[in-house]
Amino acid sequence: MTYMKKIDEMRGLVNSNGPSWGAIDPESAARMVLQNRFPTGLDIAKYTAKIMRADMEAYDADPANYTQSLGCWHGFIAQQKMISIKKHFGSTKQRYLYLSGWMVAALRSEFGPLPDQSMHEKTSVPALIEELYTFLKQADARELGGLFRELDAARANGDAVEAKRLENAIDNYETHVVPIIADIDAGFGNAEATYLLAKKMIEAGACALQIENQVSDEKQCGHQDGKVTVPHEDFIQKIRACRHAFLEMGVDDGVIVARTDSLGAGLTKQIAFSKEPGDLGDQYNAFLDCDEVDPANITNGQVFISRDGKLMAPKRLPSNLYQFRAGTGEDRCVLDCITSLQNGADLLWIETEKPHVEQIAGMVDRVREVIPNAKLVYNNSPSFNWTLNFRQQVYDAWVEAGKDVSAYDRDKLMSVDYDTTDLAIEADEKIRTFQADASKRAGIFHHLITLPTYHTAALSTDNLAKEYFGDQAMLGYVKGVQREEIRQGIACVKHQNMAGSDIGDDHKEYFAGEAALKAGGKDNTMNQFEAA
């Protein structure tokens, strides 16, 4: 509905309620409605699910249409990210949000900083989703409010052409609200617990849930040791639980991202149930590290399975966990991916130990032999040493090609001494094109960085502290922060405006008319930034 039609609609509503509504200005009411396009989180989930599905279809048609996101641990961070994207690229298309369970644990738990082991309050995840979207909706309200004020000025100046341009800009306004891929960890319990949490996350606005195949009470960060997986049927139950949650909430096209940690997981908590040879449980158990048992030498407490007509004892640790055979991680990953997609998942997440296009592609090729349109969400993880990994990849490629590498020490390629060398330049170019290359070759639909804003907050704070508390004092802030904000057009240099002071002034005028006591007058120090 256009801006003018919304005003007409409000005018009819106001008039239909008689003289008692006479002080309600239809245009003001219409503006407030347009500034709050998404009254509930469910409205957001339904809207963004359609965007994500359309993006998945576009990627299937052309892998150059991959999507991206950065992990955000606070609503303000998400808001500034999307404001920056609109400023630099003119559109939010193909850019999402990522909510990292790692960052919730590290930064948002009432217990204080925690490792990524599902120890944080499960309710903190939907609470952060709601916070992220609250800030994005405020970004809409702020930007639209600016357009409304410009429209009022154009009308006051009698500039009909400018007024029409602004009406058109309002009608075609692109929201800051974008899809979010939200980390539900391993479901924080059994399938019922997963379903209950999934509902809360969807109600808060999540259109895509990422769930992993680790044991929920033994969950580890994907880049830590000691990961323990569950049999396929246990994981499939949780995928079904997420789908039921989406259906119950009316988000029929909600997206489920099935993550496998099998590549780095050497343990399982239980032996899978199997009815007959070759079924899913039997395939899972076939990866167990077992020793053939002599019935005459059975020891106390041993557990046995039968394999190929033989009595076998799986290797069980004092922790009561069972060990997989070495070298089976990739095969287990492929089976995880196929079974997940066959049982309701939409996208895959393979957690690898390094960013290597061909390693990822090798597994995806095998999955696509069974499911041709299989595609991934991939973690461009800060846990990888990207510089060292790619310099070593280039080094190894040069060796294989017979190129002279005598000037380089492979183990010390991280050194700044190599930064301007041909090897380092080639490695940096491979890092730059990694996302496009991996999307084309390895089926990656969505690239995300899980923890970037955690690291940028630490880095920028360190730089400011070094300058401000050192010899530079106030110049450290002015030169390193404020001057750059002004020159780069960072919107929050007007921090009062960013926090909603102009929105509040508009509302005061709507509610009180000439009696409104507004904050944005000539004595507001924020006006010092107008010339900039």
Side-chain angles (χ1 to χ4, degrees):
M1 183 178 291
T2 67
Y3 178 53
M4 300 309 294
K5 285 183 179 179
K6 177 58 72 174
I7 295 171
D8 288 341
E9 180 187 88
M10 283 295 166
R11 182 177 291 112
L13 182 61
V14 168
N15 292 340
S16 70
N17 280 276
S20 67
W21 281 37
I24 301 296
D25 175 52
E27 185 162 14
S28 297
R31 288 179 175 186
M32 293 179 75
V33 170
L34 292 174
Q35 285 175 298
N36 186 23
R37 178 177 169 184
F38 305 101
T40 71
L42 268 180
D43 294 315
I44 292 172
K46 291 174 181 178
Y47 167 77
T48 53
K50 288 178 172 52
I51 291 174
M52 198 163 174
R53 290 287 179 176
D55 286 347
M56 289 162 67
E57 288 184 14
Y59 174 82
D60 287 340
D62 183 355
N65 294 318
Y66 62 89
T67 56
Q68 300 167 293
S69 66
L70 298 174
C72 299
W73 54 271
H74 192 279
F76 178 72
I77 300 296
Q79 179 195 66
Q80 295 305 301
K81 173 186 131 180
M82 298 316 301
I83 288 173
S84 294
I85 286 170
K86 284 192 74 174
K87 180 182 78 172
H88 291 296
F89 305 104
S91 173
T92 61
K93 287 180 173 59
Q94 298 177 314
R95 274 85 178 200
Y96 300 172
L97 295 177
Y98 179 66
L99 185 153
S100 160
W102 192 102
M103 286 206 286
V104 172
L107 298 172
R108 302 305 300 264
S109 171
E110 292 184 12
F111 294 112
L114 294 172
D116 183 22
Q117 296 171 355
S118 290
M119 294 188 291
H120 55 279
E121 310 87 349
K122 65 173 73 175
T123 53
S124 59
V125 182
L128 180 53
I129 296 170
E130 183 177 7
E131 176 183 294
L132 294 173
Y133 282 127
T134 296
F135 274 78
L136 294 189
K137 290 195 295 180
Q138 193 261 11
D140 282 356
R142 171 187 165 275
E143 195 165 38
L144 279 165
L147 290 174
F148 295 147
R149 285 188 291 278
E150 289 181 45
L151 177 59
D152 290 341
R155 289 171 174 173
N157 293 330
D159 190 341
V161 173
E162 176 65 1
K164 192 63 181 176
R165 184 192 72 79
L166 288 162
E167 286 176 19
N168 186 62
I170 293 165
D171 290 342
N172 294 285
Y173 180 77
E174 184 179 69
T175 177
H176 293 84
V177 170
V178 295
I180 187 170
I181 298 175
D183 188 356
I184 198 171
D185 279 21
F188 287 86
N190 60 14
E192 175 69 7
T194 302
Y195 151 77
L196 292 171
L197 178 55
K199 278 211 316 180
K200 287 292 185 185
M201 293 170 71
I202 297 163
E203 285 178 326
C207 72
L209 304 177
Q210 168 221 324
I211 187 164
E212 60 202 64
N213 70 334
Q214 290 193 49
V215 178
S216 60
D217 58 350
E218 300 282 356
K219 182 257 189 302
Q220 294 276 19
C221 171
H223 293 279
Q224 291 181 318
D225 204 358
K227 292 182 289 295
V228 183
T229 62
V230 297
H232 294 90
E233 183 52 41
D234 292 40
F235 186 52
I236 289 167
Q237 288 174 20
K238 293 186 177 183
I239 291 175
R240 294 190 195 113
C242 291
R243 181 60 64 204
H244 278 84
F246 273 124
L247 293 173
E248 180 181 338
M249 304 312 295
V251 188
D252 300 347
D253 47 1
V255 177
I256 298 172
V257 181
R259 168 176 154 176
T260 172
D261 279 283
S262 291
L263 195 63
L267 303 169
T268 184
K269 194 167 188 179
Q270 63 202 79
I271 297 170
F273 176 73
S274 173
K275 287 185 178 179
E276 57 187 44
D279 65 14
L280 200 51
D282 187 51
Q283 291 180 68
Y284 188 80
N285 294 338
F287 294 118
L288 294 172
D289 193 0
C290 300
D291 292 321
E292 189 173 349
V293 177
D294 181 351
N297 295 317
I298 292 175
T299 59
N300 185 61
Q302 277 188 293
V303 174
F304 306 105
I305 62 172
S306 60
R307 181 185 292 168
D308 300 325
K310 299 176 182 177
L311 189 64
M312 309 292 289
K315 290 183 179 177
R316 186 165 62 161
L317 306 179
S319 60
N320 206 31
L321 300 172
Y322 297 93
Q323 189 169 297
F324 287 116
R325 286 183 288 115
T328 61
E330 185 169 313
D331 290 338
R332 284 183 280 127
C333 265
V334 171
L335 184 59
D336 293 340
C337 292
I338 292 170
T339 55
S340 295
L341 292 175
Q342 288 174 333
N343 287 276
D346 302 290
L347 295 168
L348 302 171
W349 174 316
I350 299 175
E351 193 76 345
T352 65
E353 82 288 356
K354 61 180 180 293
H356 194 291
V357 171
E358 286 305 316
Q359 179 197 29
I360 304 162
M363 289 182 277
V364 172
D365 286 346
R366 293 174 61 188
V367 174
R368 285 183 162 179
E369 290 175 5
V370 181
I371 301 169
N373 70 337
K375 43 193 170 285
L376 302 186
V377 171
Y378 187 71
N379 178 8
N380 291 227
S381 177
S383 293
F384 303 145
N385 185 332
W386 286 77
T387 302
L388 182 60
N389 264 290
F390 276 83
R391 288 181 182 182
Q392 288 181 338
Q393 287 180 38
V394 171
Y395 180 97
D396 294 342
W398 282 13
V399 169
E400 187 174 346
K403 206 167 180 179
D404 180 15
V405 293
S406 60
Y408 304 96
D409 183 336
R410 189 180 187 279
D411 293 331
K412 297 179 180 179
L413 289 175
M414 183 67 194
S415 172
V416 68
D417 295 339
Y418 293 122
D419 282 1
T420 58
T421 63
D422 290 344
L423 185 145
I425 292 168
E426 184 173 328
D428 280 354
E429 179 61 12
K430 286 185 175 296
I431 294 171
R432 188 187 71 80
T433 63
F434 172 79
Q435 294 187 339
D437 294 342
S439 291
K440 182 178 180 180
R441 171 68 184 95
I444 297 177
F445 159 73
H446 185 77
H447 285 277
L448 59 90
I449 308 178
T450 45
L451 319 177
T453 53
Y454 176 90
H455 291 281
T456 54
L459 179 61
S460 61
T461 302
D462 180 80
N463 289 334
L464 175 59
K466 177 178 63 177
E467 298 294 326
Y468 177 74
F469 294 104
D471 293 341
Q472 295 299 298
M474 193 58 196
L475 182 59
Y477 172 77
V478 172
K479 187 177 180 181
V481 180
Q482 189 181 76
R483 194 175 294 168
E484 290 304 310
E485 284 183 301
I486 294 169
R487 290 176 175 174
Q488 294 183 39
I490 305 300
C492 75
V493 71
K494 297 182 179 181
H495 47 260
Q496 307 286 10
N497 167 272
M498 187 58 64
S501 63
D502 288 337
I503 296 172
D505 277 358
D506 291 340
H507 291 172
K508 289 175 186 177
E509 190 169 0
Y510 299 163
F511 307 153
E514 293 182 356
L517 182 63
K518 296 196 288 186
K522 64 180 179 62
D523 292 328
N524 189 320
T525 57
M526 191 170 65
N527 295 333
Q528 295 175 35
F529 298 107
E530 287 297 334

